[in-house]
């Protein structure tokens, strides 16, 4: 049974690696634009530095835990790609942003990670306790990272706009959270499993909001596109500066009445044409009789 559970854990861990790999690669187009324009264009380095710190923490935890190769593989790649991102930002960012990024790297990566490694080895001598302490730090930090997108959720609800939600990234993050949650559950490692419950919830919430407000935006867009067409059908007969402006509802009613009038005119025209043809036909018969 333990072997069966281990096989399933490996399978979900591999899938977690795949989706996390896609998450790490998602910012590539952004940094390619930075490279082409030789400017950071107002992008923030905080997500990259935080992701680098998180990947380093999980690698350290995986080495302490042992038998966590899949954690090591994906977070090693994460360290590599996030270091490149941070390097790009430092190289192309303005002076002030560059200094802020370097300070953040020194505080989190050098001070934070270095301090955790040093203190855990200096003051915690029992291996199992050290694993639990470092795992708890990873858990808390991962929860903080997953809470961050709630700011985006709040902004989306406030503005009723989906422009703040990167849909593809939300999908990758949600699928990644599901895989790592099951992986942690099968290994009975709650330090891995618990944060991904929040990750899955936030990701799912983002996708639901995207679907809700995307439909609303499409309806508003259609309405905005149709209104100018309706306005073009309205002929202003009295150009008086003191006359009140027509509302959207009044314009729509006028167009409806215009459609009815148009239909009536078409019917009258058809009836008139029919009468003319009948009269011409009578004249033609009289001529032939003569």
């Amino acid at each position: 049974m333990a072997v069966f559970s281990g096989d399933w854990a490996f399978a979900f861990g591999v899938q977690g690696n795949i989706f996390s790999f896609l998450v790490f690669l998602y910012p590539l187009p952004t940094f390619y634009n930075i490279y082409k324009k030789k400017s950071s264009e107002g992008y923030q380095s905080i997500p990259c530095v935080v992701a680098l710190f998180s990947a380093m923490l999980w690698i350290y935890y995986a080495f302490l835990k042992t038998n966590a190769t899949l954690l090591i593989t994906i977070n090693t790649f994460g360290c590599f790609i996030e270091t490149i991102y941070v390097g790009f930002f430092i190289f192309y960012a303005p002076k002030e942003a560059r200094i802020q990024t370097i300070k953040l790297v020194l505080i989190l990566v050098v001070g934070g990670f270095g301090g955790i490694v040093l203190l855990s080895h200096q003051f915690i001598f029992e291996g199992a306790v050290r694993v639990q302490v470092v795992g708890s730090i990873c858990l808390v930090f991962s929860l903080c990272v997953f809470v961050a997108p709630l700011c985006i959720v709040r902004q989306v609800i406030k503005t009723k706009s989906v422009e703040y939600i990167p849909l593809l990234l939300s999908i990758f993050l949600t699928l990644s959270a599901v895989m790592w949650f099951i992986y942690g559950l099968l290994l009975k490692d709650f330090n891995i499993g618990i944060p991904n419950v929040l990750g899955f919830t936030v990701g799912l919430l983002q996708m639901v909001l995207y679907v809700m407000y995307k439909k609303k935006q499409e309806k508003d867009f259609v309405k905005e596109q149709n209104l100018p067409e309706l306005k073009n059908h309205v002929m202003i007969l009295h150009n008086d500066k003191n006359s009140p402006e027509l509302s959207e509802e009044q314009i729509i009613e006028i167009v409806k009445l215009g459609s009815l009038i148009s239909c009536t005119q078409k019917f009258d025209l058809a009836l008139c044409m029919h009468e003319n043809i009948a009269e011409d036909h009578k004249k033609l018969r009289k001529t032939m009789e003569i």
Side-chain angles (χ1 to χ4, degrees):
M1 188 69 181
V3 175
F4 180 76
S5 177
D7 291 340
W8 276 106
F10 180 80
F12 281 104
V14 169
Q15 293 179 74
N17 269 251
I18 293 169
F19 289 118
S20 296
F21 180 80
L22 295 173
V23 170
F24 281 128
L25 290 181
Y26 187 83
L28 267 181
T30 298
F31 283 91
Y32 179 69
N33 288 332
I34 290 175
Y35 169 73
K36 281 201 326 184
K37 297 179 180 180
K38 312 299 181 187
S39 171
S40 62
E41 299 183 325
Y43 291 111
Q44 297 293 322
S45 62
I46 295 174
C48 297
V49 178
V50 169
L52 175 60
F53 175 64
S54 177
M56 293 173 70
L57 268 181
W58 282 110
I59 289 175
Y60 179 50
Y61 173 70
F63 275 116
L64 292 176
K65 179 181 172 63
T66 68
N67 298 324
T69 307
L70 293 174
L71 278 179
I72 295 172
T73 53
I74 188 57
N75 285 292
T76 300
F77 175 76
C79 282
F80 172 73
I81 197 72
E82 296 298 341
T83 301
I84 292 175
Y85 292 157
V86 172
F88 260 80
F89 190 88
I90 291 174
F91 190 78
Y92 290 113
K95 184 178 179 181
E96 186 177 349
R98 185 183 300 126
I99 292 171
Q100 292 294 331
T101 302
I102 293 172
K103 285 181 180 178
L104 191 61
V105 170
L106 291 174
I107 292 170
L108 271 181
V109 177
V110 179
F113 179 73
I116 290 169
V117 173
L118 183 64
L119 292 173
S120 63
H121 279 275
Q122 286 292 324
F123 297 101
I124 305 173
F125 300 103
E126 190 177 342
V129 177
R130 186 183 298 150
V131 170
Q132 192 55 45
V133 170
V134 175
S136 299
I137 294 171
C138 291
L139 187 153
V140 172
F141 188 77
S142 295
L143 286 174
C144 294
V145 170
F146 282 127
V147 165
L150 289 176
C151 298
I152 297 176
V153 171
R154 179 177 175 273
Q155 190 73 8
V156 170
I157 294 172
K158 183 179 178 181
T159 60
K160 295 181 173 54
S161 172
V162 297
E163 63 177 318
Y164 302 99
I165 297 180
L167 180 62
L168 197 59
L169 180 59
S170 297
I171 293 171
F172 290 156
L173 283 171
T174 304
L175 292 173
S176 174
V178 171
M179 299 306 155
W180 286 116
F181 167 73
I182 299 174
Y183 174 81
L185 190 66
L186 291 172
L187 293 181
K188 297 179 181 178
D189 190 334
F190 298 108
N191 295 321
I192 299 173
I194 291 174
N196 286 289
V197 174
L198 181 60
F200 168 75
T201 305
V202 173
L204 192 62
L205 178 60
Q206 285 182 323
M207 289 190 288
V208 169
L209 289 175
Y210 185 91
V211 172
M212 284 174 54
Y213 291 119
K214 184 69 174 176
K215 288 182 179 178
K216 185 179 183 302
Q217 281 186 318
E218 287 175 353
K219 289 179 181 177
D220 292 342
F221 178 76
V222 170
K223 185 178 178 182
E224 289 173 3
Q225 291 296 313
N226 289 338
L227 188 60
E229 295 179 6
L230 295 176
K231 287 180 178 178
N232 290 335
H233 288 82
V234 179
M235 183 181 294
I236 301 175
L237 300 176
H238 182 58
N239 189 15
D240 187 358
K241 294 181 180 179
N242 296 323
S243 60
E245 293 185 0
L246 296 174
S247 65
E248 294 180 10
E249 290 77 10
Q250 289 172 325
I251 291 172
I252 293 170
E253 290 300 322
I254 290 171
V255 173
K256 287 180 180 177
L257 290 172
S259 300
L260 291 173
I261 294 169
S262 178
C263 292
T264 305
Q265 288 174 340
K266 288 177 183 177
F267 177 77
D268 291 342
L269 179 61
L271 183 62
C272 181
M273 289 175 65
H274 179 74
E275 290 174 352
N276 289 337
I277 291 170
E279 188 175 343
D280 290 341
H281 184 65
K282 287 179 182 179
K283 288 180 181 179
L284 181 62
R285 286 179 64 182
K286 287 180 181 179
T287 305
M288 290 178 67
E289 288 173 358
I290 294 171

